[in-house]
Amino acid sequence: MMFKLTVENIRIALGSIRTQLLRTILTILIIAIGITALVGILTVVSALKNTLSSNFASMGSNTFNIQRYDFNIQRGGRERKKVNPIISYQNIREFLAIYEYPTTQTSLSFVGTSAAEVKFESEKTDPEVQIFGINEFYLENTGTEIENGRNFTIFDIQNNNKVCIIGSDFLKSLFLNDNPIGKTISIRGVKFKVVGVLESKGSTFGNNQDLRILIPIQVAR
């Protein structure tokens, strides 16, 4: 009896589908599109979450940044631009003296120029190279990797050695088919020995991360 009832229900259901075939097809399509869209959205969100997590993880779980920046504030319905005071090198030295904790690594960096011309033998770049002054902890604190060569040592920083770490784009211009490690380049008439090549990071918001050169911070000053 139960079997006959089940068969009869299936027959009625199939008959209903045949009589309303268009509605059935549309319903199935809507459900399929909805499920596909939901799966796609969840996949994209998961990928973005993994990307952000990996980027933050590369910077270190206990890393924070201090920098000068301008921002706008609202007061009485009117927008006003607030400009923070410039962080001087003396401010940095005072911070370093105070912020002394076990296992602490304080990195220093600033942009010396964004319009430098770099020369190697008879080759030279356009005047669009960024020159960064850094200390020995900059690469580790910012999650920047060395592709070839080495990082600066504390002796490079303290002795103001004329050494540099170059971006990967210079392998396509100045050092095409040549190993740059140990070579000497010229930045605005000052000669620097190449000790490392950075891993490629590409370009973000028009800022080419691979067209930069890192030098000891006191030399950059």
Side-chain angles (χ1 to χ4, degrees), residues 1 6 26 35 38 45 51 69 71 111 114 120 129 134 156 163-164 166 171 186 196 213 220:
M1 188 68 177
T6 302
L26 290 176
I35 294 175
L38 179 60
V45 170
T51 301
Y69 59 92
F71 63 96
V111 180
S114 298
F120 172 66
V129 178
I134 68 168
D156 292 326
V163 292
C164 68
I166 64 175
L171 300 179
S186 176
I213 294 179

Side-chain angles (χ1 to χ4, degrees), residues 43-58:
T43 302
V44 171
V45 170
S46 178
L48 288 174
K49 181 180 178 181
N50 291 335
T51 301
L52 289 174
S53 297
S54 62
N55 287 341
F56 280 114
S58 68

Side-chain angles (χ1 to χ4, degrees), residues 43 83 139:
T43 302
V83 181
L139 296 186

Side-chain angles (χ1 to χ4, degrees), residues 5 18 24 35 43 46 56 75 77 82 87 92 96 99 117 124 126 140 146 162 191 206 210 218:
L5 182 60
R18 281 195 299 269
T24 302
I35 294 175
T43 302
S46 178
F56 280 114
R75 180 173 293 178
K82 181 176 180 180
I87 301 175
I92 294 174
L96 289 176
Y99 204 79
E117 181 183 77
K124 65 179 180 179
D126 293 329
E140 184 174 352
I146 292 283
K162 299 297 193 302
K191 296 186 181 301
D210 298 330
Q218 286 286 18

Side-chain angles (χ1 to χ4, degrees), residues 97-152:
I98 296 172
Y99 204 79
E100 282 288 343
Y101 297 97
T103 70
T104 295
Q105 294 182 347
T106 306
S107 64
L108 307 178
S109 67
F110 76 97
V111 180
T113 179
S114 298
E117 181 183 77
V118 180
K119 297 180 179 179
F120 172 66
E121 295 179 348
S122 61
E123 301 292 332
K124 65 179 180 179
T125 68
D126 293 329
E128 58 182 5
V129 178
Q130 292 183 323
I131 308 298
F132 283 75
I134 68 168
N135 71 346
E136 70 273 21
F137 297 126
Y138 173 81
L139 296 186
E140 184 174 352
N141 282 16
T142 58
T144 305
E145 299 291 339
I146 292 283
E147 180 73 24
N148 187 18
R150 65 173 178 84
N151 186 14
F152 294 151

Side-chain angles (χ1 to χ4, degrees), residues 186-201:
S186 176
I187 305 174
R188 291 186 172 177
V190 182
K191 296 186 181 301
F192 290 86
K193 180 180 179 181
V194 179
V195 297
V197 179
L198 297 173
E199 188 179 68
S200 178
K201 279 197 169 184

